[in-house]
Amino acid sequence: MLATSTVAEEILDLKTDRRAILLAHHYQDAEIQELADFVGDSLELARKAHEAEGDVIAFCGVWFMAETAKVLNPSRIVVVPDKDASCSLVEGCPVEPIRQYKLRNPDHVIVSYINTSIEVKAESDILCTSRNAVQVVNSIPAEKTVLFLPDRNLGNYVQQQTGRANMKIWQGSCIVHNTFPLRRLLEAKEAYPRAVVVAHPECPADVLRHSDFIGSTSAIIDFCRDSTAEEFIVMTESGVNFSLERVAPGRKFHYVANENCNCSECPFMRLNTLEKLRDSLLYLEPRVELSGDLIARALVPLERMLAIR
Ligand code: 13P
Ligand code: SF4
């Protein structure tokens, strides 16, 4: 490696030396997405991790996504640039109350959003992402009561889409999407009256009611690519702009600031930087380490989800 290399060049060299694949979520900084072998939503990244060859998966996203990669491909070394890249949904859903709930309700089916800790996944019957949550809940026999966790906005959206009455919803939320105020969306609609509104289902119900399309990050990007509209108001993390500008050049994308950070960036996702990515490839740390027992138990609900196409 040359002393004068840029950090990006160092990463590319290390990627080759380590036989690493670089997976990035749409919410990463553009400079990370530019270097990635694959950029996608949480479901696509799980599938890519499953089939990844080589020795190392450098996962540029949040920790629960990297844990999922480790479960699906346990013989690989999985590193994340920043160990503190957590998620408010994970933090708001500890495992112990779920264990207690299972003891009280052994016949209920636990559907967990992939934004959960590995311990919660291991207690779950099936997992879902924002992309397949409706299909996953529809796959459960109608007479069974479902506990959907942990995102209440996604849960309410799924309940509305499936018309399922016997569904209990955990009251967690995303600090980014749940704090997009309707007032600001309405202001944006007034400022850009021709814009089509696209939203992630983690947004509050009133925001979703005023949206023209609701879907996962990749579904939003595909929708904008295929739409004939020239302008969009995008109700999700603004990292999606990298792919939107690539697949739909010349269109206009407007972002609405939330009330948490007065921005539309996930503070956890944005902990990852090029320098930390370089160091994670150099030192192979921070590394996801999981016990064989946890891997085996979390794999069951994960494979059930992946079997649903
Ligand atoms: P996707 O499943 O759309 O990638 O979303 C993950 C996420 O964390 C949304 O906040
Ligand atoms: Fe978690 Fe929200 Fe960040 Fe997604 S945007 S990783 S749900 S805190």
Side-chain angles (χ1 to χ4, degrees):
M1 200 181 305
L2 295 172
T4 53
S5 301
T6 64
V7 179
E9 285 165 345
E10 289 177 54
I11 290 169
L12 293 175
D13 286 346
L14 281 162
K15 201 161 83 71
T16 310
D17 295 349
R18 295 293 194 197
R19 294 185 6 95
I21 181 169
L22 211 166
L23 302 180
H25 189 267
H26 291 296
Y27 297 166
Q28 294 295 279
D29 288 345
E31 57 192 13
I32 291 181
Q33 295 193 47
E34 260 164 28
L35 294 182
D37 294 298
F38 181 79
V39 179
D41 68 13
S42 55
L43 181 62
E44 292 169 326
L45 290 168
R47 290 196 192 280
K48 281 285 170 198
H50 195 192
E51 64 202 28
E53 291 174 358
D55 299 328
V56 175
I57 299 173
F59 205 109
C60 298
V62 285
W63 194 260
F64 75 80
M65 295 180 178
E67 284 181 335
T68 305
K70 183 71 181 174
V71 170
L72 289 168
N73 210 335
S75 62
R76 306 285 177 260
I77 292 170
V78 179
V79 295
V80 184
D82 193 312
K83 194 170 185 353
D84 293 330
S86 181
C87 168
S88 60
L89 287 168
V90 174
E91 293 184 357
C93 187
V95 70
E96 204 40 48
I98 312 300
R99 291 192 180 123
Q100 297 303 321
Y101 182 94
K102 279 178 68 167
L103 287 176
R104 289 194 307 274
N105 306 282
D107 55 330
H108 290 192
V109 177
I110 299 189
V111 179
S112 294
Y113 192 27
I114 204 161
N115 298 40
T116 42
S117 68
I118 195 71
E119 289 80 9
V120 169
K121 286 184 175 75
E123 299 293 338
S124 306
D125 293 295
I126 188 165
L127 304 184
C128 71
T129 74
S130 58
R131 200 181 178 99
N132 60 17
V134 170
Q135 287 161 280
V136 166
V137 169
N138 272 335
S139 75
I140 294 157
E143 70 280 6
K144 291 276 188 189
T145 297
V146 166
L147 171 65
F148 186 95
L149 54 89
D151 188 79
R152 66 167 179 261
N153 294 329
L154 178 63
N156 289 335
Y157 172 72
V158 169
Q159 185 163 39
Q160 181 214 326
Q161 292 294 304
T162 59
R164 192 177 192 110
N166 52 353
M167 185 166 152
K168 295 171 187 288
I169 300 168
W170 188 270
Q171 293 299 301
S173 63
C174 160
I175 47 170
V176 182
H177 294 86
N178 191 49
T179 55
F180 283 135
L182 177 62
R183 172 178 48 81
R184 289 191 178 163
L185 170 58
L186 296 179
E187 284 164 11
K189 280 172 82 114
E190 214 171 298
Y192 314 109
R194 283 148 37 101
V196 168
V197 181
V198 293
H200 196 280
E202 289 173 10
C203 293
D206 56 3
V207 166
L208 296 182
R209 267 196 299 281
H210 285 81
S211 300
D212 301 298
F213 176 79
I214 298 165
S216 75
T217 49
S218 288
I220 286 173
I221 291 161
D222 292 350
F223 173 85
C224 294
R225 179 197 59 203
D226 298 341
S227 166
T228 53
E230 288 300 317
E231 225 170 324
F232 301 87
I233 297 167
V234 184
M235 302 302 291
T236 191
E237 219 271 9
S238 56
V240 294
N241 203 53
F242 177 81
S243 291
L244 284 172
E245 301 229 303
R246 192 168 46 81
V247 301
R251 322 271 188 91
K252 288 202 180 94
F253 301 102
H254 308 286
Y255 297 87
V256 170
N258 66 31
E259 273 174 337
N260 198 34
C261 61
N262 213 22
C263 70
S264 51
E265 293 184 357
C266 171
F268 298 109
M269 288 275 184
R270 302 300 182 125
L271 284 174
N272 294 331
T273 62
L274 276 190
E275 287 74 14
K276 291 178 195 172
L277 171 58
R278 187 248 343 256
D279 291 349
S280 69
L281 283 166
L282 189 58
Y283 303 113
L284 296 179
E285 294 286 348
R287 187 188 302 203
V288 178
E289 310 260 27
L290 301 172
S291 72
D293 173 60
L294 258 185
I295 289 178
R297 291 196 295 130
L299 186 60
V300 176
L302 203 40
E303 285 189 327
R304 285 189 187 134
M305 173 188 81
L306 292 177
I308 294 177
R309 282 279 171 181

PDB file of all heavy atoms in Angstrom, residues 22 26 36 40 64 85-86 91 142 154 161 163-164 172 174 180 186 200 203 237 239 251 255 257-258 281 291 306:
ATOM      1  N   LEU A  22     -17.894  -5.964   0.119  1.00  0.00           N
ATOM      2  CA  LEU A  22     -18.327  -4.775   0.842  1.00  0.00           C
ATOM      3  C   LEU A  22     -19.816  -4.551   0.558  1.00  0.00           C
ATOM      4  O   LEU A  22     -20.190  -4.252  -0.584  1.00  0.00           O
ATOM      5  CB  LEU A  22     -17.496  -3.605   0.318  1.00  0.00           C
ATOM      6  CG  LEU A  22     -17.178  -2.462   1.247  1.00  0.00           C
ATOM      7  CD1 LEU A  22     -16.089  -1.618   0.640  1.00  0.00           C
ATOM      8  CD2 LEU A  22     -18.377  -1.651   1.575  1.00  0.00           C
ATOM      9  N   HIS A  26     -28.555   1.544   1.892  1.00  0.00           N
ATOM     10  CA  HIS A  26     -28.826   2.821   1.220  1.00  0.00           C
ATOM     11  C   HIS A  26     -28.630   4.039   2.126  1.00  0.00           C
ATOM     12  O   HIS A  26     -28.571   5.157   1.629  1.00  0.00           O
ATOM     13  CB  HIS A  26     -30.273   2.854   0.728  1.00  0.00           C
ATOM     14  CG  HIS A  26     -30.559   1.914  -0.396  1.00  0.00           C
ATOM     15  ND1 HIS A  26     -29.976   2.028  -1.633  1.00  0.00           N
ATOM     16  CD2 HIS A  26     -31.389   0.845  -0.473  1.00  0.00           C
ATOM     17  CE1 HIS A  26     -30.439   1.070  -2.423  1.00  0.00           C
ATOM     18  NE2 HIS A  26     -31.285   0.335  -1.752  1.00  0.00           N
ATOM     19  N   ALA A  36     -18.911   0.270  -2.567  1.00  0.00           N
ATOM     20  CA  ALA A  36     -19.522  -1.016  -2.221  1.00  0.00           C
ATOM     21  C   ALA A  36     -19.648  -1.946  -3.426  1.00  0.00           C
ATOM     22  O   ALA A  36     -19.821  -1.501  -4.566  1.00  0.00           O
ATOM     23  CB  ALA A  36     -20.888  -0.776  -1.606  1.00  0.00           C
ATOM     24  N   GLY A  40     -28.047  -2.030  -1.041  1.00  0.00           N
ATOM     25  CA  GLY A  40     -29.428  -2.509  -1.084  1.00  0.00           C
ATOM     26  C   GLY A  40     -30.197  -2.234   0.186  1.00  0.00           C
ATOM     27  O   GLY A  40     -29.702  -1.578   1.115  1.00  0.00           O
ATOM     28  N   PHE A  64     -27.437  -4.847  13.717  1.00  0.00           N
ATOM     29  CA  PHE A  64     -28.355  -5.985  13.581  1.00  0.00           C
ATOM     30  C   PHE A  64     -28.276  -6.571  12.171  1.00  0.00           C
ATOM     31  O   PHE A  64     -28.512  -7.766  11.972  1.00  0.00           O
ATOM     32  CB  PHE A  64     -29.797  -5.596  13.949  1.00  0.00           C
ATOM     33  CG  PHE A  64     -30.529  -4.758  12.923  1.00  0.00           C
ATOM     34  CD1 PHE A  64     -31.106  -5.338  11.798  1.00  0.00           C
ATOM     35  CD2 PHE A  64     -30.653  -3.390  13.084  1.00  0.00           C
ATOM     36  CE1 PHE A  64     -31.772  -4.577  10.850  1.00  0.00           C
ATOM     37  CE2 PHE A  64     -31.325  -2.613  12.148  1.00  0.00           C
ATOM     38  CZ  PHE A  64     -31.883  -3.213  11.024  1.00  0.00           C
ATOM     39  N   ALA A  85     -23.030   1.330  15.892  1.00  0.00           N
ATOM     40  CA  ALA A  85     -24.090   1.544  14.893  1.00  0.00           C
ATOM     41  C   ALA A  85     -25.292   0.662  15.245  1.00  0.00           C
ATOM     42  O   ALA A  85     -25.479  -0.418  14.708  1.00  0.00           O
ATOM     43  CB  ALA A  85     -23.566   1.237  13.495  1.00  0.00           C
ATOM     44  N   SER A  86     -26.082   1.145  16.172  1.00  0.00           N
ATOM     45  CA  SER A  86     -27.242   0.382  16.646  1.00  0.00           C
ATOM     46  C   SER A  86     -28.493   0.837  15.901  1.00  0.00           C
ATOM     47  O   SER A  86     -28.430   1.237  14.731  1.00  0.00           O
ATOM     48  CB  SER A  86     -27.372   0.577  18.157  1.00  0.00           C
ATOM     49  OG  SER A  86     -28.442  -0.157  18.653  1.00  0.00           O
ATOM     50  N   GLU A  91     -32.947  -1.115  20.328  1.00  0.00           N
ATOM     51  CA  GLU A  91     -32.766  -0.691  21.715  1.00  0.00           C
ATOM     52  C   GLU A  91     -34.080  -0.645  22.485  1.00  0.00           C
ATOM     53  O   GLU A  91     -34.092  -0.795  23.701  1.00  0.00           O
ATOM     54  CB  GLU A  91     -32.048   0.658  21.743  1.00  0.00           C
ATOM     55  CG  GLU A  91     -30.624   0.481  21.221  1.00  0.00           C
ATOM     56  CD  GLU A  91     -29.771   1.725  21.271  1.00  0.00           C
ATOM     57  OE1 GLU A  91     -30.279   2.796  21.658  1.00  0.00           O
ATOM     58  OE2 GLU A  91     -28.591   1.610  20.903  1.00  0.00           O
ATOM     59  N   ALA A 142     -54.862 -17.859   9.547  1.00  0.00           N
ATOM     60  CA  ALA A 142     -55.743 -16.775   9.986  1.00  0.00           C
ATOM     61  C   ALA A 142     -56.178 -16.904  11.441  1.00  0.00           C
ATOM     62  O   ALA A 142     -56.406 -15.901  12.121  1.00  0.00           O
ATOM     63  CB  ALA A 142     -56.965 -16.719   9.067  1.00  0.00           C
ATOM     64  N   LEU A 154     -44.899   0.331  11.228  1.00  0.00           N
ATOM     65  CA  LEU A 154     -44.909  -0.773  10.259  1.00  0.00           C
ATOM     66  C   LEU A 154     -46.006  -1.772  10.634  1.00  0.00           C
ATOM     67  O   LEU A 154     -46.745  -2.254   9.771  1.00  0.00           O
ATOM     68  CB  LEU A 154     -43.535  -1.464  10.219  1.00  0.00           C
ATOM     69  CG  LEU A 154     -43.433  -2.671   9.287  1.00  0.00           C
ATOM     70  CD1 LEU A 154     -43.649  -2.272   7.828  1.00  0.00           C
ATOM     71  CD2 LEU A 154     -42.064  -3.361   9.433  1.00  0.00           C
ATOM     72  N   GLN A 161     -53.037  -3.359   5.805  1.00  0.00           N
ATOM     73  CA  GLN A 161     -52.918  -4.014   4.490  1.00  0.00           C
ATOM     74  C   GLN A 161     -53.463  -5.443   4.498  1.00  0.00           C
ATOM     75  O   GLN A 161     -53.985  -5.917   3.500  1.00  0.00           O
ATOM     76  CB  GLN A 161     -51.446  -4.063   4.049  1.00  0.00           C
ATOM     77  CG  GLN A 161     -50.841  -2.720   3.740  1.00  0.00           C
ATOM     78  CD  GLN A 161     -51.477  -2.070   2.518  1.00  0.00           C
ATOM     79  OE1 GLN A 161     -51.501  -2.638   1.437  1.00  0.00           O
ATOM     80  NE2 GLN A 161     -52.029  -0.880   2.720  1.00  0.00           N
ATOM     81  N   GLY A 163     -55.655  -6.629   6.889  1.00  0.00           N
ATOM     82  CA  GLY A 163     -56.992  -6.681   7.482  1.00  0.00           C
ATOM     83  C   GLY A 163     -57.066  -7.686   8.629  1.00  0.00           C
ATOM     84  O   GLY A 163     -58.142  -8.188   8.959  1.00  0.00           O
ATOM     85  N   ARG A 164     -55.925  -7.947   9.260  1.00  0.00           N
ATOM     86  CA  ARG A 164     -55.879  -8.960  10.311  1.00  0.00           C
ATOM     87  C   ARG A 164     -56.250  -8.353  11.665  1.00  0.00           C
ATOM     88  O   ARG A 164     -55.571  -7.452  12.158  1.00  0.00           O
ATOM     89  CB  ARG A 164     -54.452  -9.524  10.359  1.00  0.00           C
ATOM     90  CG  ARG A 164     -54.333 -10.756  11.180  1.00  0.00           C
ATOM     91  CD  ARG A 164     -52.912 -11.302  11.123  1.00  0.00           C
ATOM     92  NE  ARG A 164     -52.954 -12.616  11.704  1.00  0.00           N
ATOM     93  CZ  ARG A 164     -52.797 -13.737  11.037  1.00  0.00           C
ATOM     94  NH1 ARG A 164     -52.526 -13.732   9.760  1.00  0.00           N
ATOM     95  NH2 ARG A 164     -52.871 -14.896  11.656  1.00  0.00           N
ATOM     96  N   GLY A 172     -42.674   0.065  19.580  1.00  0.00           N
ATOM     97  CA  GLY A 172     -41.373   0.677  19.305  1.00  0.00           C
ATOM     98  C   GLY A 172     -41.461   1.621  18.112  1.00  0.00           C
ATOM     99  O   GLY A 172     -42.445   1.613  17.366  1.00  0.00           O
ATOM    100  N   CYS A 174     -38.889   4.150  15.139  1.00  0.00           N
ATOM    101  CA  CYS A 174     -37.601   4.588  14.587  1.00  0.00           C
ATOM    102  C   CYS A 174     -37.437   6.073  14.869  1.00  0.00           C
ATOM    103  O   CYS A 174     -38.335   6.864  14.544  1.00  0.00           O
ATOM    104  CB  CYS A 174     -37.593   4.327  13.078  1.00  0.00           C
ATOM    105  SG  CYS A 174     -36.362   5.302  12.202  1.00  0.00           S
ATOM    106  N   PHE A 180     -40.878  12.320  11.546  1.00  0.00           N
ATOM    107  CA  PHE A 180     -41.230  13.166  10.391  1.00  0.00           C
ATOM    108  C   PHE A 180     -42.624  13.726  10.674  1.00  0.00           C
ATOM    109  O   PHE A 180     -43.602  12.967  10.714  1.00  0.00           O
ATOM    110  CB  PHE A 180     -41.301  12.337   9.101  1.00  0.00           C
ATOM    111  CG  PHE A 180     -39.962  11.982   8.495  1.00  0.00           C
ATOM    112  CD1 PHE A 180     -39.718  10.697   8.049  1.00  0.00           C
ATOM    113  CD2 PHE A 180     -38.965  12.935   8.348  1.00  0.00           C
ATOM    114  CE1 PHE A 180     -38.499  10.356   7.479  1.00  0.00           C
ATOM    115  CE2 PHE A 180     -37.737  12.605   7.781  1.00  0.00           C
ATOM    116  CZ  PHE A 180     -37.503  11.317   7.345  1.00  0.00           C
ATOM    117  N   LEU A 186     -46.823  18.422   4.691  1.00  0.00           N
ATOM    118  CA  LEU A 186     -47.841  19.248   4.035  1.00  0.00           C
ATOM    119  C   LEU A 186     -47.220  20.540   3.481  1.00  0.00           C
ATOM    120  O   LEU A 186     -47.578  20.992   2.396  1.00  0.00           O
ATOM    121  CB  LEU A 186     -48.992  19.556   5.005  1.00  0.00           C
ATOM    122  CG  LEU A 186     -49.790  18.320   5.462  1.00  0.00           C
ATOM    123  CD1 LEU A 186     -50.894  18.710   6.449  1.00  0.00           C
ATOM    124  CD2 LEU A 186     -50.382  17.561   4.278  1.00  0.00           C
ATOM    125  N   HIS A 200     -41.360   5.486   3.560  1.00  0.00           N
ATOM    126  CA  HIS A 200     -41.023   4.207   4.186  1.00  0.00           C
ATOM    127  C   HIS A 200     -42.113   3.896   5.213  1.00  0.00           C
ATOM    128  O   HIS A 200     -42.588   4.805   5.906  1.00  0.00           O
ATOM    129  CB  HIS A 200     -39.651   4.325   4.870  1.00  0.00           C
ATOM    130  CG  HIS A 200     -39.047   3.013   5.211  1.00  0.00           C
ATOM    131  ND1 HIS A 200     -39.432   2.301   6.330  1.00  0.00           N
ATOM    132  CD2 HIS A 200     -38.106   2.259   4.584  1.00  0.00           C
ATOM    133  CE1 HIS A 200     -38.735   1.172   6.371  1.00  0.00           C
ATOM    134  NE2 HIS A 200     -37.919   1.117   5.322  1.00  0.00           N
ATOM    135  N   CYS A 203     -42.779   5.404   8.833  1.00  0.00           N
ATOM    136  CA  CYS A 203     -43.310   6.756   9.078  1.00  0.00           C
ATOM    137  C   CYS A 203     -44.650   6.644   9.815  1.00  0.00           C
ATOM    138  O   CYS A 203     -45.363   5.646   9.673  1.00  0.00           O
ATOM    139  CB  CYS A 203     -43.540   7.493   7.763  1.00  0.00           C
ATOM    140  SG  CYS A 203     -42.042   7.887   6.855  1.00  0.00           S
ATOM    141  N   GLU A 237     -34.701   8.178   4.967  1.00  0.00           N
ATOM    142  CA  GLU A 237     -33.340   8.667   5.198  1.00  0.00           C
ATOM    143  C   GLU A 237     -32.740   9.124   3.861  1.00  0.00           C
ATOM    144  O   GLU A 237     -32.856   8.423   2.841  1.00  0.00           O
ATOM    145  CB  GLU A 237     -32.536   7.500   5.788  1.00  0.00           C
ATOM    146  CG  GLU A 237     -31.566   7.853   6.879  1.00  0.00           C
ATOM    147  CD  GLU A 237     -30.199   8.215   6.358  1.00  0.00           C
ATOM    148  OE1 GLU A 237     -30.036   8.365   5.137  1.00  0.00           O
ATOM    149  OE2 GLU A 237     -29.279   8.318   7.195  1.00  0.00           O
ATOM    150  N   GLY A 239     -29.941   9.162   2.584  1.00  0.00           N
ATOM    151  CA  GLY A 239     -28.891   8.369   1.927  1.00  0.00           C
ATOM    152  C   GLY A 239     -29.381   7.728   0.637  1.00  0.00           C
ATOM    153  O   GLY A 239     -28.588   7.429  -0.261  1.00  0.00           O
ATOM    154  N   ARG A 251     -34.230  13.950 -12.355  1.00  0.00           N
ATOM    155  CA  ARG A 251     -35.451  14.174 -11.570  1.00  0.00           C
ATOM    156  C   ARG A 251     -35.076  14.935 -10.291  1.00  0.00           C
ATOM    157  O   ARG A 251     -33.929  14.926  -9.867  1.00  0.00           O
ATOM    158  CB  ARG A 251     -36.116  12.853 -11.167  1.00  0.00           C
ATOM    159  CG  ARG A 251     -36.070  11.794 -12.211  1.00  0.00           C
ATOM    160  CD  ARG A 251     -37.247  11.831 -13.173  1.00  0.00           C
ATOM    161  NE  ARG A 251     -37.158  10.638 -13.992  1.00  0.00           N
ATOM    162  CZ  ARG A 251     -37.740   9.481 -13.690  1.00  0.00           C
ATOM    163  NH1 ARG A 251     -38.496   9.387 -12.598  1.00  0.00           N
ATOM    164  NH2 ARG A 251     -37.595   8.434 -14.467  1.00  0.00           N
ATOM    165  N   TYR A 255     -36.321  16.301   0.408  1.00  0.00           N
ATOM    166  CA  TYR A 255     -36.331  15.575   1.684  1.00  0.00           C
ATOM    167  C   TYR A 255     -36.927  16.466   2.760  1.00  0.00           C
ATOM    168  O   TYR A 255     -36.774  17.693   2.718  1.00  0.00           O
ATOM    169  CB  TYR A 255     -34.907  15.138   2.042  1.00  0.00           C
ATOM    170  CG  TYR A 255     -34.387  14.163   1.005  1.00  0.00           C
ATOM    171  CD1 TYR A 255     -33.756  14.616  -0.161  1.00  0.00           C
ATOM    172  CD2 TYR A 255     -34.611  12.798   1.148  1.00  0.00           C
ATOM    173  CE1 TYR A 255     -33.350  13.738  -1.144  1.00  0.00           C
ATOM    174  CE2 TYR A 255     -34.197  11.899   0.166  1.00  0.00           C
ATOM    175  CZ  TYR A 255     -33.568  12.383  -0.977  1.00  0.00           C
ATOM    176  OH  TYR A 255     -33.184  11.503  -1.961  1.00  0.00           O
ATOM    177  N   ALA A 257     -37.156  17.404   6.793  1.00  0.00           N
ATOM    178  CA  ALA A 257     -36.393  17.237   8.036  1.00  0.00           C
ATOM    179  C   ALA A 257     -37.299  16.715   9.143  1.00  0.00           C
ATOM    180  O   ALA A 257     -38.456  17.123   9.246  1.00  0.00           O
ATOM    181  CB  ALA A 257     -35.779  18.572   8.446  1.00  0.00           C
ATOM    182  N   ASN A 258     -36.773  15.812   9.959  1.00  0.00           N
ATOM    183  CA  ASN A 258     -37.590  15.327  11.079  1.00  0.00           C
ATOM    184  C   ASN A 258     -37.380  16.219  12.307  1.00  0.00           C
ATOM    185  O   ASN A 258     -36.580  17.147  12.292  1.00  0.00           O
ATOM    186  CB  ASN A 258     -37.302  13.848  11.372  1.00  0.00           C
ATOM    187  CG  ASN A 258     -35.895  13.620  11.891  1.00  0.00           C
ATOM    188  OD1 ASN A 258     -35.325  14.471  12.558  1.00  0.00           O
ATOM    189  ND2 ASN A 258     -35.331  12.476  11.578  1.00  0.00           N
ATOM    190  N   LEU A 281     -11.263  -3.249   8.007  1.00  0.00           N
ATOM    191  CA  LEU A 281     -10.669  -4.224   7.087  1.00  0.00           C
ATOM    192  C   LEU A 281      -9.221  -4.532   7.480  1.00  0.00           C
ATOM    193  O   LEU A 281      -8.737  -5.652   7.320  1.00  0.00           O
ATOM    194  CB  LEU A 281     -10.716  -3.684   5.653  1.00  0.00           C
ATOM    195  CG  LEU A 281     -12.088  -3.772   4.977  1.00  0.00           C
ATOM    196  CD1 LEU A 281     -12.132  -2.911   3.721  1.00  0.00           C
ATOM    197  CD2 LEU A 281     -12.435  -5.221   4.627  1.00  0.00           C
ATOM    198  N   SER A 291     -22.619 -16.992  19.413  1.00  0.00           N
ATOM    199  CA  SER A 291     -22.484 -18.400  19.812  1.00  0.00           C
ATOM    200  C   SER A 291     -23.191 -19.282  18.784  1.00  0.00           C
ATOM    201  O   SER A 291     -24.131 -18.839  18.093  1.00  0.00           O
ATOM    202  CB  SER A 291     -23.108 -18.622  21.192  1.00  0.00           C
ATOM    203  OG  SER A 291     -24.523 -18.557  21.081  1.00  0.00           O
ATOM    204  N   LEU A 306     -36.830 -16.069   4.383  1.00  0.00           N
ATOM    205  CA  LEU A 306     -36.191 -16.089   3.057  1.00  0.00           C
ATOM    206  C   LEU A 306     -36.889 -17.043   2.101  1.00  0.00           C
ATOM    207  O   LEU A 306     -36.793 -16.881   0.881  1.00  0.00           O
ATOM    208  CB  LEU A 306     -34.707 -16.449   3.194  1.00  0.00           C
ATOM    209  CG  LEU A 306     -33.848 -15.386   3.895  1.00  0.00           C
ATOM    210  CD1 LEU A 306     -32.417 -15.867   4.060  1.00  0.00           C
ATOM    211  CD2 LEU A 306     -33.866 -14.055   3.147  1.00  0.00           C
TER     212      LEU A 306
END
